[in-house]
Amino acid sequence: MQVPFLDLKAQYRAIKSEIHAAVSDVMENTAFAGGPFVAAFEKDFAAFCGCKHAIGVGNGTDALWLSLLALGIGSGDEVITVPNTFIATAEAITYCGATPVFADVEARTNNMDPALLKAAITKKTKAIIPVHLFGQPADMDPILAIAGEHGLCVIEDACQAHGAEYKGRKAGTLGDTGCFSFYPGKNLGAYGEAGAVVTNSDALAEKMRMFRDHGQAKKYHHGMIGWNARMDGIQGAVLSVKLKYLAAWNESRRKHAQEYTALLASEAAIVTPREEAYAKHVYHIYAVRSKERDRLMAALAEKGIACNIHYPVPIHLQEAYRSLNLGPGSFPVAEKCAAEYLSLPMYPELTSEQIAYVTDQIKAFK
Ligand SMILES: Cc1ncc(COP(=O)(O)O)c(C=O)c1O
């Protein structure tokens, strides 16, 4: 049996006629850059999240960067985030002129540890970016309380957490802004690059809308120096179609996760992910931990099972961030995640037979 890590073709086949109709509509209207299809998606996505504004942008990295800029973060400022994330979280901080500062994650959730966050705050700290890793929200209440005490902004990196919930509220709507990536493999994925910022603040929304469109609110009248970070019309139309299925797709992921966890419960050498009481996890990634991760991954590959590693090198040990002078041992929990995490195949169309095959092969691994 072959089990791909991700099967985007299966999803495309299921919604092909709707997608083609939506893309054709964009073509007929020649509404390629921003425009009505993006606006319609923004309205629907804001409603889905239960918040006031959604601003469609080019990708999740833009979403983070625009959030930081709109909040006035810049040169000389520090922004605290976690080391076990995709590099975009740190890049956005660097590209607004600020310095990324890392706080290690909790061993239980592998999300931001509020106690370590507190310890990382300095006079220069201006913002916090918790990352809802793999689709499970970070413990936001203590993070928001610390932010409130110190007057810090909170930008949620919800790029892996479309539809996830924290105490019944959608991930991305708890901080000043929430940032989403619609990279094709995400729970809500575009057919190209796209992203969005959500916020309840009218002022931030206005700034980000202007910024993504060269600082203009009226064509060729530039009130500020902005950038081109617009979402394109085809992505808006595709995302509007796919958004209708997101809740059902997330439920399928949750069911698959339960099956994996139940079937692996007897494996002492495998640590399965757990859902916190405050969270609704949407399993963008289903990652187990194994001390024999690399050997296990190779053995599964030989059996036709494609796995992945998110992420093999934490940000503070990346060559790109060598200038921060943070060596091995700086963030032991994140470093352990990098050494032990193995992401198993996960997508809504995965079957119970495939899950049973994957877990059988894990059990057979010596
Ligand atoms: C946690 C996290 N942050 C940021 C990003 C950046 O999103 P994009 O690739 O759309 O720029 C991603 C995407 O992989 C991500 O997983």
Side-chain angles (χ1 to χ4, degrees):
M1 189 188 279
Q2 294 292 314
V3 190
F5 179 67
L6 193 63
D7 187 354
L8 293 180
K9 284 184 188 160
Q11 190 181 75
Y12 170 59
R13 280 194 290 270
I15 56 171
K16 189 170 175 172
S17 59
E18 274 185 275
I19 292 286
H20 284 213
V23 172
S24 156
D25 215 5
V26 178
M27 305 283 188
E28 293 295 341
N29 286 282
T30 61
F32 299 118
F37 295 93
V38 172
F41 170 68
E42 288 174 335
K43 192 164 162 275
D44 292 348
F45 193 61
F48 173 84
C49 291
C51 90
K52 217 165 161 189
H53 304 280
I55 298 107
V57 293
N59 50 59
T61 313
D62 278 352
L64 290 160
W65 189 49
L66 261 66
S67 294
L68 288 159
L69 290 171
L71 285 161
I73 314 295
S75 176
D77 297 337
E78 290 179 355
V79 178
I80 303 174
T81 190
V82 292
N84 61 332
T85 178
F86 182 58
I87 196 161
T89 320
E91 283 175 327
I93 298 169
T94 304
Y95 264 83
C96 74
T99 303
V101 171
F102 301 109
D104 208 354
V105 291
E106 293 175 322
R108 202 181 70 250
T109 61
N110 302 137
N111 272 327
M112 183 173 265
D113 183 329
L116 296 175
L117 159 67
K118 203 165 183 171
I121 293 172
T122 71
K123 284 198 180 75
K124 292 182 180 173
T125 308
K126 287 283 157 44
I128 307 167
I129 309 186
V131 178
H132 304 318
L133 193 72
F134 300 160
Q136 167 147 269
D139 192 0
M140 289 302 292
D141 277 350
I143 293 171
L144 291 167
I146 293 166
E149 272 167 40
H150 294 266
L152 306 176
C153 307
V154 177
I155 297 165
E156 296 176 68
D157 185 335
C159 285
Q160 302 185 0
H162 318 69
E165 290 176 14
Y166 178 77
K167 298 185 180 174
R169 291 168 66 192
K170 287 278 192 321
T173 64
L174 299 130
D176 294 284
T177 71
C179 302
F180 291 88
S181 161
F182 304 121
Y183 187 74
K186 301 286 176 176
N187 291 28
L188 179 60
Y191 283 178
E193 302 275 354
V197 187
V198 299
T199 183
N200 282 311
S201 158
D202 296 342
L204 288 176
E206 195 191 333
K207 268 193 199 163
M208 292 188 284
R209 283 207 172 95
M210 278 180 77
F211 190 87
R212 73 165 170 188
D213 195 19
H214 297 292
Q216 60 188 352
K218 189 174 157 207
K219 202 166 168 97
Y220 301 137
H221 291 76
H222 307 274
M224 63 195 267
I225 299 169
W227 198 251
N228 178 358
R230 295 182 296 248
M231 181 189 278
D232 80 61
I234 289 179
Q235 304 317 326
V238 166
L239 288 165
S240 286
V241 170
K242 293 183 76 176
L243 181 60
K244 292 184 283 179
Y245 298 97
L246 177 60
W249 286 335
N250 280 345
E251 282 314 311
S252 298
R253 288 174 180 272
R254 288 172 56 75
K255 194 175 132 285
H256 301 332
Q258 269 174 14
E259 278 180 45
Y260 267 133
T261 299
L263 290 167
L264 292 171
S266 55
E267 289 304 289
I270 298 288
V271 181
T272 52
R274 47 171 280 177
E275 184 176 57
E276 293 302 307
Y278 53 69
K280 182 172 178 185
H281 195 323
V282 291
Y283 294 99
H284 170 55
I285 302 285
Y286 182 92
V288 298
R289 278 174 36 204
S290 161
K291 298 242 184 278
E292 298 284 347
R293 191 266 314 276
D294 293 342
R295 271 201 327 114
L296 175 59
M297 186 172 175
L300 293 176
E302 269 182 25
K303 299 289 178 189
I305 299 165
C307 297
N308 226 318
I309 299 173
H310 298 94
Y311 296 94
V313 182
I315 309 296
H316 66 286
L317 300 180
Q318 293 284 356
E319 179 68 19
Y321 278 107
R322 204 171 45 169
S323 60
L324 294 176
N325 283 320
L326 295 161
S330 305
F331 303 104
V333 183
E335 288 168 31
K336 197 165 181 243
C337 293
E340 296 184 359
Y341 263 139
L342 182 67
S343 307
L344 302 184
M346 173 56 86
Y347 47 91
E349 299 76 13
L350 196 65
T351 65
S352 293
E353 290 70 34
Q354 288 174 310
I355 293 171
Y357 177 68
V358 173
T359 54
D360 283 349
Q361 297 310 319
I362 292 175
K363 289 174 186 174
F365 171 72
K366 292 282 170 283

